[in-house]
Amino acid sequence: MTPLVRSVRSADTLTRDALAVLQPGFTGTTAPDWLLRRLGEGLVSVGLFGRNVADPAQLAALTGRLRAEREELIVAIDEEGGDVTRLEVRGGSSFPGNHALGAVDDTALTRAVARELGRRLADCGINLNWAPSADVNSNPGNPVIGVRSFGADPQLVARHTAAYVEGLQSAGVAACTKHFPGHGDTAVDSHHDLPRIAVDLPTLQERELVPFRAAVAAGTRAVMSAHILLPALDGEHPATLSPAALHGLLRAPATEGGLGFDGLIVTDGMEMQAISATYGIERGSVLALAAGADAICVGGGLADEDIVLRLRDALVRAVRDGELPEHRLADAAARVRALAGRTRSAEVGEGAAPAPGIGLTAARRALRLTAAGPYAPLAEPAYVAAFTPLANIAVGDETPWGVAAELARLLPGTETATCTAEAAAAAGTAALVDGLLTAAAGRRVVAVVRDVHRHPWMADALSTLLAARPDTAVVEMGVPQASPRGALHIATHGAARVCAQAAAEALTDQRLSPGE
């Protein structure tokens, strides 16, 4: 009897390849036993989030323990700086985000900020950063990108994306430029639903793709796909699952209208509703690999051994059932291992001196002040009214924001109140503002807003407050799309801790720390 012909690749090799393409997360500040076991069985990547970080020493110990199990390992993190920080999730970032850097428009500064951020990541044992965001913020109502973008001009975004990639990678940390082919023209957050972008291909080429071309030219090691549907490119599949987007556009040579990218393609989080609610995580992961993705990012929401085993088994089953070509899985695993094999010493330039004050320097330069008339700096404790929108999932609600804490350091006795859409709806705008003014008790008021142009309740409350107290200072910590209002209007272009510090300094005309 003739024996059955079997794949030349063993079941063990197939399983190791399936584990190799996963980028899972976990809970806690120490590595769980199941994760260490899977590293021994073929897992090559681990994703870290704010829940895994206590301080730099703990983080370095954690990554050291992971590498004791597997030396050639990708340790990834979502550290954009600015509003999206994992290293400083409970205190706020020491670096302003992209929008602030774009407002300054000094590529040397952007490169220096990214280099210092990369240096701190590398010191903690992290060698892949899911950043920068190369999205062109062409839709000012975008609920998920906003200050995570360098701006609305494709050429500006392109030059700063390239500078960021160069700076980050000069510190030995691979950049993962996102969210390909561009998440800036969406009105829907892909964490919650599947966004649809109704632009034609010429617009895509002339707007969204410009920064990604710059990132590829700058040598970005990885690119992250977006869970967005572009009917002009693929009317059925979102970009993460689209051969036309990944293989046919990102990988295709420039002579064929593509970007010619030969590095690692990483998916955005597969547990996001744009994928999980439509395709399911297992099916979505198979389709993503088949479409050309190399690494499956999962672990922001699902962070246990079960999801790793489910996805591992789904990929193995898909190969055996003929849904996923075996060579495609092998190629993806090889790309992951190749990036994992890069050593920090091969990347870091000579004389990479720390620049601990570069973030605050950048935040100060990003401020834009507009005064309605003469404005006397605050000299006594103030009252801060923080008009607080619901945080998007990418930013999270763990990270503090606003100017009250930094202002209180300069003017002890400063107090604050948080105002939300729910509070405005329950009490009514007039009553809400009356309550604020009563609590202020004659003190000067500082109103802090975030993307006031996107929140009618916030705009109404601010108008009512300014009508009653025209001497109110306004600090906009989101995208400054609305016209400046207030006795003094400060646009920080982001809500990082250093942005708050710079704003507090401007309000009081004094500095919290010596200049660099």
Side-chain angles (χ1 to χ4, degrees):
M1 182 176 178
T2 303
L4 293 174
V5 177
R6 302 190 63 180
S7 168
V8 294
R9 294 165 59 78
S10 69
D12 179 65
T13 299
L14 189 59
T15 299
R16 294 185 74 84
D17 283 353
L19 282 171
V21 301
L22 303 181
Q23 292 191 342
F26 63 96
T27 58
T29 54
T30 58
D33 290 341
W34 69 261
L35 181 63
L36 299 176
R37 284 199 310 274
R38 301 306 169 193
L39 289 172
E41 293 172 5
L43 192 67
V44 182
S45 305
V46 176
L48 300 180
F49 298 86
R51 62 178 180 247
N52 305 123
V53 179
D55 54 57
Q58 167 270 327
L59 188 54
L62 170 60
T63 60
R65 178 67 187 92
L66 294 171
R67 286 204 168 84
E69 201 65 38
R70 184 183 187 92
E71 185 175 358
E72 293 190 348
L73 177 69
I74 294 174
V75 181
I77 200 166
D78 190 10
E79 180 58 53
E80 299 177 15
D83 291 30
V84 179
T85 179
R86 312 307 178 203
L87 284 183
E88 300 177 276
V89 65
R90 293 168 194 86
S93 181
S94 300
F95 303 92
N98 286 2
H99 209 57
L101 296 172
V104 178
D105 196 13
D106 178 347
T107 53
L109 179 66
T110 295
R111 192 176 294 107
V113 167
R115 182 177 178 82
E116 174 62 14
L117 177 58
R119 188 191 66 80
R120 295 191 195 183
L121 290 172
D123 282 351
C124 293
I126 293 162
N127 57 2
L128 174 65
N129 190 9
W130 293 318
S133 168
D135 305 297
V136 178
N137 201 43
S138 50
N139 182 349
N142 194 311
V144 67
I145 300 300
V147 294
R148 301 167 67 196
S149 166
F150 289 110
D153 174 26
Q155 296 299 330
L156 179 146
V157 176
R159 60 179 173 266
H160 287 279
T161 295
Y164 195 106
V165 167
E166 292 163 358
L168 190 65
Q169 294 189 162
S170 72
V173 176
C176 183
T177 305
K178 61 188 183 185
H179 307 82
F180 181 84
H183 209 312
D185 192 21
T186 61
V188 172
D189 184 345
S190 53
H191 291 90
H192 302 297
D193 206 346
L194 178 61
R196 178 188 179 96
I197 302 181
V199 299
D200 55 24
L201 288 179
T203 300
L204 188 70
Q205 291 282 359
E206 296 167 9
R207 190 177 67 185
E208 274 75 17
L209 295 182
V210 173
F212 289 98
R213 291 186 189 280
V216 172
T220 187
R221 303 290 182 219
V223 170
M224 177 177 282
S225 66
H227 306 328
I228 55 176
L229 187 69
L230 293 104
L233 187 63
D234 186 328
E236 182 180 358
H237 299 105
T240 294
L241 313 183
S242 171
L246 302 187
H247 180 72
L249 183 59
L250 185 52
R251 291 274 191 230
T255 54
E256 298 175 13
L259 276 67
F261 179 63
D262 194 40
L264 192 73
I265 299 178
V266 183
T267 72
D268 206 346
M270 296 300 285
E271 65 267 53
M272 294 164 65
Q273 292 295 300
I275 298 296
S276 62
T278 307
Y279 297 88
I281 296 176
E282 292 96 330
R283 178 67 177 157
S285 297
V286 169
L287 291 174
L289 265 292
D294 303 308
I296 303 297
C297 179
V298 66
L302 299 173
D304 56 21
E305 184 176 23
D306 178 66
I307 190 63
V308 173
L309 298 182
R310 283 167 53 194
L311 293 182
R312 179 201 66 182
D313 295 346
L315 294 175
V316 170
R317 187 166 54 249
V319 170
R320 289 175 173 162
D321 292 346
E323 293 182 84
L324 176 63
E326 188 173 324
H327 67 83
R328 173 77 275 273
L329 179 61
D331 172 64
R335 288 179 184 276
V336 174
R337 295 187 187 109
L339 184 59
R342 288 183 175 273
T343 61
R344 183 185 175 197
S345 60
E347 299 276 355
V348 177
E350 295 297 323
I358 192 68
L360 180 56
T361 295
R364 287 169 176 160
R365 290 182 62 187
L367 291 187
R368 297 295 179 267
L369 277 61
T370 306
Y375 181 82
L378 298 176
E380 297 179 350
Y383 191 79
V384 178
F387 295 96
T388 304
L390 183 67
N392 72 56
I393 291 178
V395 174
D397 56 9
E398 285 185 273
T399 306
W401 72 285
V403 301
E406 300 299 333
L407 200 55
R409 291 174 60 191
L410 293 171
L411 301 174
T414 293
E415 296 180 357
T416 187
T418 298
C419 309
T420 64
E422 291 77 13
T429 300
L432 179 72
V433 172
D434 283 346
L436 290 173
L437 295 178
T438 298
R443 287 173 288 180
R444 291 175 67 182
V445 177
V446 177
V448 184
V449 295
R450 198 169 182 173
D451 290 341
V452 69
H453 67 283
R454 293 201 302 113
H455 303 287
W457 71 269
M458 191 185 296
D460 290 345
L462 182 61
S463 295
T464 303
L465 175 59
L466 291 174
R469 288 287 300 271
D471 63 337
T472 295
V474 178
V475 182
E476 168 61 86
M477 304 194 80
V479 177
Q481 186 73 21
S483 297
R485 304 171 68 189
L488 176 67
H489 183 277
I490 302 177
T492 62
H493 299 90
R497 176 175 52 80
V498 286
C499 295
Q501 183 172 346
E505 292 173 347
L507 287 165
T508 59
D509 197 25
Q510 58 177 308
R511 292 202 164 185
L512 282 156
S513 61
E516 292 72 46

